[in-house]
Amino acid sequence: MATGLRRRLLLLVLWTLAAPARPGSGKAGDGGWQRCGPGVPAAVAEEQRCTVERRADLSYAEFVQHYAFSRPVVLQGLTDNSKFRALCSRQRLLASFGDSVVRLSTANTYSYQKVDLPFREYVEQLLHPQDPTSLGNDTLYFFGDNNFTEWASLFRHYSPPPFRLLGTTPAYSFGIAGAGSGVPFHWHGPGFSEVIYGHKRWFLYPPEKTPEFHPNKTTLAWFRDTYPALEPSARPLECTIQAGEVLYFPDRWWHATLNLDTSVFISTFLS
Ligand SMILES: *[C@@H]1O[C@H](CO)[C@@H](O)[C@H](O)[C@H]1NC(C)=O
Ligand SMILES: *[C@@H]1O[C@H](CO)[C@@H](O)[C@H](O)[C@H]1NC(C)=O
Ligand SMILES: *[C@@H]1O[C@H](CO)[C@@H](O)[C@H](O)[C@H]1NC(C)=O
């Protein structure tokens, strides 16, 4: 057996042993995605810790006044995407788009390399838990570069957060990624990110507070090597969001993500 494969199997076994039973990750509510592998160990999940405000039924006026230009917020109850969620189950996406070619990016800060692969191959062969020893520039991640013509029958069912910023146009990026994967620190314009299935942990810093990170290391490696030693004053804002929740990130805020299990998600970038 090839060493790579053996190492991957060993990791899988270790992660299976360490994975906590997480509420909401039962077979019924996970769209069939958790068969792609176990979640991350409990020490990584630590879902209780949320230092981003969570707001249910926030009005547009409050959003603009308190968050749009100043700080992130987790939004709840703004839209009902249950129809879209049902269409995003593993079985239905494979049935509708299995043969569609998707463009994968490397999971590092400056992702230049792209690989085109049939969606089915990505799901069946690459969508496994992140190998903690591999580098972000060697890890392929499905997020963005979506073909909205080919996938129109899916995206027309998505209701984005109903908040707009003057002078910006919304653009979607859709993705599916394995447990332990994520994009390391980077920044861009403002936007929203909604979890459809799974749990996604976010780490955020304001524009003036550049975090310490290596652009080719995974978020998992940063979380393991750098995060535990951070002084309280150097800690990021953070929160784990789950299906139906939307994180808003303002313009130029640094952010890194860590998928705690196989996650399906969609961002609405405002630019
Ligand atoms: C990934 O990055 C590392 C360190 O930054 C570098 O040594 C390695 O060659 C890169 N791998 C690829 C496939 O480019
Ligand atoms: C990161 O990896 C890319 C290619 O994958 C390489 O060109 C670049 O030099 C690496 N960056 C650093 C800081 O090592
Ligand atoms: C999107 O998919 C359509 C239909 O398969 C194809 O003709 C088109 O070239 C694709 N667009 C891009 C940008 O890949």
Side-chain angles (χ1 to χ4, degrees):
M1 187 164 31
T3 346
L5 181 58
R6 187 158 37 206
R7 192 178 57 183
R8 186 170 298 154
L9 286 176
L10 176 66
L11 283 168
L12 204 64
V13 170
L14 289 175
W15 284 49
T16 309
L17 292 174
R22 197 175 294 122
S25 64
K27 286 286 170 265
D30 69 19
W33 288 106
Q34 300 321 325
R35 80 175 62 172
C36 296
V40 300
V44 177
E46 211 183 312
E47 283 174 42
Q48 309 82 335
R49 182 183 171 80
C50 178
T51 50
V52 179
E53 281 177 73
R54 269 198 163 98
R55 297 292 306 268
D57 305 314
L58 189 70
S59 72
Y60 180 62
E62 278 183 289
F63 170 70
V64 169
Q65 191 180 353
H66 297 295
Y67 306 102
F69 307 102
S70 52
R71 57 182 188 272
V73 60
V74 176
L75 305 165
Q76 298 173 316
L78 282 181
T79 49
D80 175 7
N81 274 308
S82 45
K83 173 80 193 289
F84 181 72
R85 178 166 299 109
L87 294 173
C88 286
S89 72
R90 185 177 188 275
Q91 192 185 1
R92 293 187 77 163
L93 280 187
L94 283 177
S96 308
F97 304 108
D99 300 329
S100 164
V101 170
V102 293
R103 175 153 292 186
L104 311 176
S105 311
T106 52
N108 51 347
T109 293
Y110 311 106
S111 179
Y112 303 118
Q113 282 141 298
K114 306 277 182 182
V115 173
D116 290 343
L117 210 66
F119 179 64
R120 182 181 308 281
E121 247 173 77
Y122 174 71
V123 170
E124 291 177 351
Q125 288 162 37
L126 296 183
L127 194 57
H128 46 65
Q130 171 79 43
D131 175 346
T133 61
S134 67
L135 284 163
N137 56 335
D138 285 330
T139 305
L140 289 170
Y141 193 79
F142 172 40
F143 180 56
D145 293 306
N146 305 107
N147 186 327
F148 293 104
T149 312
E150 205 173 353
W151 293 54
S153 62
L154 174 68
F155 292 115
R156 70 188 164 87
H157 294 286
Y158 180 62
S159 305
F163 299 161
R164 291 288 164 264
L165 297 177
L166 207 61
T168 66
T169 317
Y172 296 152
S173 274
F174 176 73
I176 303 173
S181 67
V183 180
F185 282 106
H186 65 292
W187 59 266
H188 41 64
F192 302 93
S193 182
E194 176 162 357
V195 169
I196 304 301
Y197 285 113
H199 299 76
K200 195 189 257 300
R201 190 165 169 183
W202 284 76
F203 305 95
L204 303 117
Y205 285 102
E208 68 278 6
K209 217 169 157 183
T210 306
E212 190 190 314
F213 70 99
H214 184 290
N216 284 343
K217 275 176 82 168
T218 58
T219 307
L220 193 58
W222 170 85
F223 182 77
R224 186 190 55 203
D225 304 338
T226 307
Y227 176 88
L230 291 175
E231 297 290 334
S233 65
R235 289 206 192 119
L237 284 181
E238 61 176 88
C239 198
T240 296
I241 65 168
Q242 58 180 340
E245 290 186 315
V246 178
L247 183 119
Y248 169 74
F249 47 87
D251 192 21
R252 294 182 296 115
W253 272 63
W254 289 96
H255 54 276
T257 56
L258 187 57
N259 297 302
L260 302 186
D261 40 24
T262 308
S263 300
V264 179
F265 42 94
I266 180 165
S267 292
T268 305
F269 293 113
L270 305 173
S271 51

